[in-house]
Each structure stands twice: as C-alpha cells, then as structure tokens.
Amino acid sequence: MTTATQEKQTLAFQTEVKQLLQLMIHSLYSNREIFLRELVSNASDAADKLRFEAVTNASLLESDPDLKIRVSVDKGANTVTISDNGIGMSRDEVIANIGTIAKSGTKEFFAKLTGDQQKDAHLIGQFGVGFYSAFIVADKVTLVTRRAGSPEAVRWESSGDGEFTLEPADKSTRGTEITLHLKDDAKDFADDWRLKSIIRKYSDHIQLPIVMKKSEWDEEAKAQVTTDEDETINKANAIWTRPKSDITDEQYQEFYKHVSHDWQPPLAWTHAKVEGRQEYTELLYVPSQPPFDMFDRERKHGVKLYVKRVFIMEDAEQLLPRYLRFIKGVVDSNDLPLNVSREILQESKDVDAIRAGCVKKLLSLLEDLAEHEKEKYAKFWESFGRVFKEGLGEDFANRERIAKLARFHSTHDASASASASAGVPAVSFADYVSRMKHGQEKIYYVTGDSLAAAQNSPHLEVFKKKGIEVLLFTEPVDEWWLGSLDEFDGKKLQSVAKGDLDLGALADEADKKEIEKTTDEFKPVLDKMKEALGDKVKDVRVTNRLTESPACLVVDEHELSGNLERLLKAAGQKVNTVKPILELNPAHPLVAKLKSSVDADNFAPLSLILFEQSLLAEGGQLEDPAGFVKRVNQFMLGS
Ligand code: ADP
C-alpha cells in the first residue's frame, strides 16, 4: 500500500506558530522549567480523555488499564522523555493539534502583538503556552503517538523552525511519547533530581501517577545512581478530593494553571464538598485576567465536569450561568451517571441543583473579597464586572446579592477626583444609598456611551447644583439590565434623562412656582418652536433641570433612552425612533434671545440649532450635519 501517509512528509507550521515559538522562547527564558508542567498537564488530559471514552468502550484500555505518566532521562543522549498511555492522537489529530493553534482568541492575540519583543513578552502568559513550550529547552522534539484502539502510530518531529515532518511509526503501547533533545544551554535538565523537584513543585496535584526511575545514593561512587525500580513522584490523587487543610496555596495555584491553561495565578478560589440532595465537590477559581474573548457570550465555559473522579467533559456550560462564564475549575459529582451527555445535563434537575450551589459559593467568595480584600475585588471588577453585571438581568434568584456586588462610577467619584479619569468603578448601590440626601427617595442615574459623555451630560446640571449624587452607567450592558432591575433596597432607579424632572421632596417650592411662571411666560416661544421643529420632537417645554446648557433632550418615562436607541441601531436592530422632548433652560441667554425673536426670520434656524446641539450633547447623530454647520456659520457671521 503506497498512500501518502506511508511516506515521510514535511509540512509547514501555520505562520502564527512560528511567531508564537519565537516569542515564547524569548519570554520564558528565565522560567524554562515550566515546559515539564505543560507536557505533564497535556499527558494528564490525555489520560482523562481515555478514561472517559473507556466508560463506553472498555476495549480501548487494551491490556494496559493502569494510566500513568512516565518521565525519563538519557544523560548520554541529552534527552528527556515524557510518555503517557492516554488517548494518543491519530495522524490527522497530530496535524490539527500540533501544527496549528486552535485556541479561541488566537486572532485577537496576534492582533495585540506590537512586534516589540519586550512588550509582547508578557502577553504570552495570558495566551497560555502548552505543547510548544517544549522548544524552550529543546532544539528538536520528537513525538510518537498511537491513538487508543488504532494500530497505526505516527512520528512527528520538528526543530521549531517553521517545519515539521510526519511519518508512520511503530509503537506497541498506546498513547504519546515526547522526546526533547535538549539545547546546549539546557543540558542541566537531563538530571533525575532536578526533574523530580520540578514535578513536585508544579505537578503534585496531577491525578495519575508520574513515575520515574528511583535514584539512590551510591556510597562508593559518591553519586546518585538510577536504579531499575519505579517510584511515583507526585501525590497522585485529585487535588479536590483532598482536605483543604492539606493543600497549600501554591498547590491550589498550580492546579489552576493545569485546569485553566492560564499562566497567571488566580485571583481567588472556593473549594467545598457539598453533601445534601446532591453530593459533589467544587473547586472553582476566579482568574486574575480576562481572556481575550470574554465578551463573546457564546465563548466556551471553563468548568470541567467529573463524575466520581472520572473526567466527563470540558466546558460544561450547564454548570454555571453565562454571567459567570469566566470562572474556571472542576465540579466532581457523586450522583450523575458516568455516561451523562450534554443533552442530559441540559434537562437534569440534579445539574440545576449543582449549578445553584456553585453560584451561591461563588457569590459568597465575591462578597468576602468585596468586604475584606478590596484591592482584589477592584481587580475582579475591572476584569469581569462587565460580564458579571449580566447577572442582574438574568439571575433573578440571586439578583439582590449581585446588585450588592455591582460597582459603578458616579458623580461622587468624579467630584472627588475632579477629573474624567476612569479608574475602576467603585461605588456600590449601598454606598449611594448611604449618601442620599435627606428627603431623597430615588436612586438617580444617567446612561452614556462613555464616562466623559455621562459625566458631562447636561441632564446632571441641576443635580450638581443641588449636590445630589448620580450614578453613571457607561456600558452597553447597563442599558440591558436596567430593563429588568428597577429598584435597590426599595428605592426606585430613576433616569435623569427620562420624564419630568422629579426631585420629589428635594424640589423646593420656589423652583416649582418658578417653572409654572416661566411656562406661562414662554408659551408663545414654546408653541412657535414646536411648530418650527415639527416631527422632530414630541414636545417643547421649559425646565429647571439645566443651569449651564441652553437645552437638552429627554424622553418619556417608559420610552427607550436615546443611548439605548443608538446602541440597538448600532447592533443592527430595527427600533422605532423615539421622539424626544426638547427642554429649555429659561435662564440661558440663548433662550432669552429666542424669546425676544419669536417673529424674526432666524427663529426657525435658531430653534433647529438648539435642538441639534442638544442631540449632539447626548452623543446622538445629526440627520443633516452639513445643514447644521451651515446654520451655525450663518450665526457666527452675525446674521
Ligand atoms: P492546549 O493543551 O492548551 O489545548 P497544547 O498546545 O498544549 O494546547 O496542545 C494542543 C492539543 O494537542 C491538545 O489540546 C491535545 O488535543 C493535543 N495533545 C497535546 N499533548 C497530548 C498528549 N500527550 N496526548 C494526546 N493529545 C495531546
């Protein structure tokens, strides 16, 4: 049989792989030992996959059911070999997995690279390194693998310089064997003791035994000699099954790196054995950095499901709600059937109970951080706040707890720092409520498409004057959850850009009288303006909302805010355009000018300019920008 697969073939890496290798070798130079952690982690995943497939097809275990990872050294040849008897790879899988980068976020990752190695080096950690880390210490890597259940093995070899070769191979045992031909400056890794200490440091949590040949002190030779006996280097039981008091922070962190493929240490974790209607153990981590594709609501989730210590599936999205999709870790159930599928998970009441339990644990963890580790909480909010807030609109059972955890910008922090500098939003609803004025009944907010736009919104003017705090909602997700959350702690959330200005008990009588009086006084102007603006507005009225601006736009209480209307349109949705109400500041000289020129020729263009300015001030787009410029220029020339 002479098919192409019988011959040695040379193939090129995906261009990105080459770039990635260069970057990795450069940036991990001072931490080269992690190559072993990455390869052991892959071997352990391969064993998990085999164990899972063997649940329904026991013949895959062949005559070799004891899964383990072996690490060996050949000092003479300067090689280190990591082998496993896990699932192995077919030829096609080798090409797909080892010659390309199939990770989510790859495109975004490469788009972020600047070409400056120093600057790019720290990005590699966020991306995760995996198999390619072999090239940090090796100038040639040979991988021989045979997929469980298949007779054909394949040999892959590369010097990491852009190409790899593939050829058929003989391999009696199932699984993958990776041989690293050490670089001249990495020969010190060909040392049993060194490798054992690296395994204990990084891979102690790995569930299956990592074996090496036992070394002994030879008194005569005054040296370590390797014997023929095997020894297991790691603890070799699943970390989550061990009592918390037995596990060090470092071990928790190493397990996180294994389970998440993230290189940064996690921000926090929760580990609990739950006994009740459902028996399960959860070990869930909050990462410290958002992944590149976090805002993709369809992105894969990061929780692995085990049933009685047997790995079942990756990205078990049923185990956590979407707004917690950045969480990584494992859930190990004692009750679910081993042959559980995604479809079964979707309909399982047992899974609902596990999910509800995990959410509660995570919310407690976050509450604890918010209260006792404010800096960490700020970091959490900076990384994941935008996603977490989706919970306000989605998890009704826990909405109050989520609302308490939410943080926002407000006019309070703007006045504290007097600048538009962003910083991490830090004002909670509870902070806001504690600062509410005597007699204030509502929680005021404004929405905008940026912090600066919200901070400078004309709608805030009267609130600034009266010293009333307003929350600044500046993210698209805010408009979304506002659709379903309308109060906190019994206090209604009120947009300052919707409805009549209603300050409740905060409005003074004099203000109210003044408005009534000016409304009468301005009646002819208001009528005339309404006529001039026609369809563009629903109404024109005077307001005491403004102190500096001549005019602003508001919408009725139950209509879409201008900001939301723009967001929906930008997202390609069809929405009925809401007609705004134009409100005038009677104390403004421009408005006074209008009042005195009701009968003048330029009344209509001046009215239009006021309307257009108000639209611009809230971030809207003009229907006829060129016309606007023309009208303004005419006024600049004094006509
Ligand atoms: P990651 O592990 O983050 O997916 P890697 O580059 O480390 O990325 O590995 C890519 C893929 O190659 C893995 O997802 C897996 O499918 C496959 N792979 C790597 N090592 C092994 C192994 N020892 N046995 C079986 N498959 C492996």
Side-chain angles (χ1 to χ4, degrees), residues 199-392:
I199 292 170
R200 287 196 192 97
K201 180 167 165 195
Y202 294 110
S203 308
D204 201 41
H205 59 81
I206 291 288
Q207 219 182 327
L208 65 163
I210 305 168
V211 297
M212 286 185 71
K213 290 283 177 227
K214 207 166 180 173
S215 340
E216 269 173 10
W217 181 253
D218 184 330
E219 198 45 52
E220 258 171 52
K222 296 262 179 276
Q224 286 293 334
V225 293
T226 306
T227 70
D228 275 343
E229 233 179 292
D230 276 344
E231 81 176 309
T232 298
I233 313 300
N234 61 330
K235 287 216 174 56
N237 52 11
I239 185 171
W240 62 88
T241 61
R242 284 159 47 190
K244 276 188 192 174
S245 53
D246 269 14
I247 310 171
T248 64
D249 282 1
E250 287 72 29
Q251 289 170 332
Y252 273 122
Q253 288 169 354
E254 281 310 324
F255 180 68
Y256 168 75
K257 289 178 189 166
H258 166 63
V259 76
S260 68
H261 298 256
D262 180 4
W263 150 279
Q264 319 277 329
L267 197 65
W269 57 86
T270 144
H271 179 195
K273 186 165 182 186
V274 180
E275 280 160 353
R277 200 165 74 77
Q278 282 294 310
E279 236 179 76
Y280 63 93
T281 303
E282 54 85 9
L283 171 51
L284 299 171
Y285 293 88
V286 181
S288 54
Q289 297 252 7
F292 290 100
D293 56 349
M294 185 176 65
F295 297 109
D296 178 359
R297 275 177 61 88
E298 303 307 322
R299 84 178 284 272
K300 290 192 167 174
H301 291 224
V303 179
K304 292 190 182 192
L305 173 66
Y306 285 72
V307 172
K308 300 190 187 74
R309 252 80 57 223
V310 176
F311 169 74
I312 305 293
M313 69 178 77
E314 211 123 22
D315 313 317
E317 64 272 11
Q318 296 309 315
L319 293 176
L320 284 179
R322 280 200 190 174
Y323 72 96
L324 292 172
R325 61 188 177 274
F326 51 87
I327 298 291
K328 313 268 175 168
V330 302
V331 169
D332 186 351
S333 156
N334 259 350
D335 309 310
L336 293 173
L338 275 171
N339 62 356
V340 64
S341 64
R342 283 185 201 267
E343 291 68 39
I344 295 177
L345 282 187
Q346 248 159 28
E347 282 155 22
S348 161
K349 288 266 175 302
D350 297 338
V351 171
D352 289 346
I354 295 177
R355 181 175 53 231
C358 288
V359 170
K360 291 215 155 63
K361 290 276 184 234
L362 285 166
L363 292 178
S364 303
L365 174 68
L366 293 173
E367 283 159 0
D368 195 53
L369 286 186
E371 192 170 352
H372 303 294
E373 299 193 69
K374 298 213 175 336
E375 248 172 59
K376 275 195 182 171
Y377 193 71
K379 195 146 189 250
F380 159 74
W381 195 261
E382 183 180 18
S383 299
F384 303 111
R386 272 192 276 178
V387 171
F388 184 72
K389 275 190 287 185
E390 292 171 11
L392 287 171

Side-chain angles (χ1 to χ4, degrees), residues 25 29 32 78 134-140 180-188:
I25 291 166
Y29 193 79
R32 296 188 298 173
N78 268 315
F135 288 101
I136 307 173
V137 294
D139 48 22
K140 187 168 82 175
L180 312 178
H181 306 264
L182 298 173
K183 292 180 183 173
D184 283 342
D185 63 358
K187 289 192 170 141
D188 49 325

Side-chain angles (χ1 to χ4, degrees), residues 107-126:
K107 234 173 94 196
E108 291 79 354
F109 175 78
F110 283 97
K112 278 199 177 181
L113 297 181
T114 59
D116 173 340
Q117 286 212 325
Q118 293 295 340
K119 277 193 193 145
D120 292 345
H122 76 277
L123 285 173
I124 192 90
Q126 292 181 29

